[in-house]
Amino acid sequence: MTNPDSPVLVIAAGHVLTVDRKDRVLRDHAVVVRDRKIAAVVPVEEASRRWPKAERLDLPDHVLMPGLVNAHTHLAMNLLRGLADDLPLKAWLEDHVWPAEARWVSDEFVLDGSLLAIAEMIRGGITCFADNYFFPNATARAAAQAGIRAMLHPPVMEFATAWAANADEYIHKALALHDDYKNHPLVSVGIGPHAPYTVSDAALRKIIMLTNELSVPMPVQMHVHEAPHEIGEALASDQRRPLARLHALGITGPSFQCVHMTQVNDEDIAILAATGSHVIHCPESNLKLASGYCPVARLLDAGVNVALGTDGAASNNDLDMFSEMRTAAILAKSVAGDAAAFPARAVLRAATINGAKALGLDAVTGSLETGKSADLIAVDLGGLESQPLYHLESQLVYATGRHQVTHAWVAGTPLMTGRVLTTLNAGHIAQRAAEWAARISPRN
Amino acid sequence: MTNPDSPVLVIAAGHVLTVDRKDRVLRDHAVVVRDRKIAAVVPVEEASRRWPKAERLDLPDHVLMPGLVNAHTHLAMNLLRGLADDLPLKAWLEDHVWPAEARWVSDEFVLDGSLLAIAEMIRGGITCFADNYFFPNATARAAAQAGIRAMLHPPVMEFATAWAANADEYIHKALALHDDYKNHPLVSVGIGPHAPYTVSDAALRKIIMLTNELSVPMPVQMHVHEAPHEIGEALASDQRRPLARLHALGITGPSFQCVHMTQVNDEDIAILAATGSHVIHCPESNLKLASGYCPVARLLDAGVNVALGTDGAASNNDLDMFSEMRTAAILAKSVAGDAAAFPARAVLRAATINGAKALGLDAVTGSLETGKSADLIAVDLGGLESQPLYHLESQLVYATGRHQVTHAWVAGTPLMTGRVLTTLNAGHIAQRAAEWAARISPRN
């Protein structure tokens, strides 16, 4: 319930991008925040009249927009950023990433890596993320400390890591974490069966059975059809494409997110569209690892919900959703052979409300609408790189850098003000990262 | 001649990326500047000992590197940034860009647009650019005022614009500009026959004849094989691919730059390699306009010099060479189907020394070597987005934004110090851009 005596914050801006159902782009409007929620989106003059005593922030050169939703990442891998690049996928994984993970990943590593990643994300306008990584309890603590909105998908796989010994233990730990955070205002927990080729039918059936028992559906996020070899190997051993197998098991549906999907045929699209499954598109990771091209325009035409993710910093090598939006926008045009494909407005939806929808959080976040959580960012368009300004949505997608984000709020709490983080100690976090680097690669 | 009494500037940095023949990456080195040139690249301690009285700048968290060379752009189109996006190429050109150009392009438009673009480029670490646009005299004045290094390729085409009536007049004006600037320390003039389909054999023969008379070869930059239709139409009318026609005319060679080259077969590569012609790769423009994919790895394997350009801001929509490096790096991997293709070191060469070479300026700029012009930038790697730092070249290509450039020098003169432009008035430039936008799109 809204308390009429609660303090009110009026954020007045030159532009407001709502990403609501009508995709309204408003001039000289204010977002009014009360009790952690958006109380109104109204003309500045009306806000001044209705809330004359409110705390007030004036950002005439800025656009207010929903905080970005990074729908797929592996936060703690920030500590491995740039450890090994320009390598074939197999050598990258087997000679560098897996050995480094086996040697170093721990609760402490994941806490420090998650804090580094969250600080980077807040500074880049991301107010909600979906993570898949070991020791998710540490990531949950980091998110809670930062005050950022999080959906954690603890991984499930058949082989042992420092975090769990087998599929049953991964599942057990994921459900325990889900239980720990079931009443947390910002941190939610789903489950992340790693990929069709690393999780057995038995484990997937168990996940389906257990998640079906919950009163609220648990988001399930999985790497699906990331690269061509995955399809070939599945057809050889199972005579089905991986998505067809997942669909036959019954895991597809509105709580199921397929990450990557660079290998897509008409049958795949029909399954995704019919079941309401989501696609999380990670264009920069797909390009850098030479995995293939996700046909975004075809998916959208078929009515599939497509969200965007950065993937982890070990493969990308940053968590920059502005860059990801731009790459997604221009790559989709080339893949479709149509310069009109995936226009700026659709890209902005993919990076906000579509991500929220994929994570089951669209009632709470992803757009600037009365009643939703006050999860928003301010982006400065006053610099000469933003001149001239003909079309706001074009400018945001094609000519804006993440460093132009000046303010970020989650549930009405400021996480960054004038480029300064308010809930995290940036200097301490960077220092911890440098210490990890010195341990991991001492000759550097 | 170096004057031993000339003032010396010692720029001491945590890292120096030389892009010399050995691609040396140095820790705790200084670039020593005297008489507009690089006098030495030595350890900080040695610089302190040899030049104890020098002016000194200490940048321990920074990398010093050659200023970036933006080898293809249309500066004045910055005033049309974002005017029309997400449109098929034909509608974009015919319904938006050409009408706007016909209505507005003038000496004043080009001066203001060029200043806006140059300010953006300096702030993004670009110290040398190659332009192709009408009223190049205005761009030359803007470059000279800014103190940036410029290679202008005045356009040549068969049809009339506000700048010239026919091919002869374009050529005449280009040569006159070349003569005006032949002794200028920073501004050079080549020639820019627009594309195979807009310039006749007669005009190309005249360009070849006139440029052959010059004592120093004149760089010739042309849009070649930008999109598939260009090939099909040429084969239908001329029974040859456009590059084969250009080669038969005799325009290929070490002074010839082919911009785009998204349509490439073995015969094309053989011509480029045998003649020493250069390719200017503009990956973001090619993606956004759905033009096709330049096979960078194949070109480099054949020994072709590949440089990078942003293209104009009307199609890109910024002049961000850090973004262009990153896109080029990751796209080349996907196009080659090899995550090891176009590694960071090669990308950094493409964005610096290869560009200088394509423009015939590699004796002067493009690397940090004793005797070259002091054209360099400092990039701040102290922020948390740059942590941890395992490999400098990876970090620069895959995880660095242009806003991290703090300082830029051309011929030893600072153009930006601590993010502040020193030769241009950013506020005035942005104001002029806003005034143009109000005229061009008054309802906005």
Side-chain angles (χ1 to χ4, degrees), chain A residues 351-376:
Chain A
T352 56
I353 189 68
N354 293 8
K357 190 176 173 196
L359 303 176
L361 296 172
D362 51 320
V364 177
T365 193
S367 60
L368 300 186
E369 295 179 86
T370 302
K372 280 201 175 182
S373 179
D375 298 359
L376 70 158

Side-chain angles (χ1 to χ4, degrees), chain A residues 357-419:
Chain A
K357 190 176 173 196
L359 303 176
L361 296 172
D362 51 320
V364 177
T365 193
S367 60
L368 300 186
E369 295 179 86
T370 302
K372 280 201 175 182
S373 179
D375 298 359
L376 70 158
I377 60 175
V379 184
D380 184 358
L381 300 180
L384 58 80
E385 288 84 357
S386 298
Q387 304 308 319
L389 174 56
Y390 293 107
H391 296 290
L392 185 76
E393 290 158 319
S394 269
Q395 206 83 325
L396 287 170
V397 171
Y398 298 118
T400 298
R402 61 173 168 171
H403 61 285
Q404 293 169 242
V405 178
T406 58
H407 296 67
W409 295 263
V410 170
T413 299
L415 306 191
M416 180 168 70
T417 302
R419 296 290 300 148

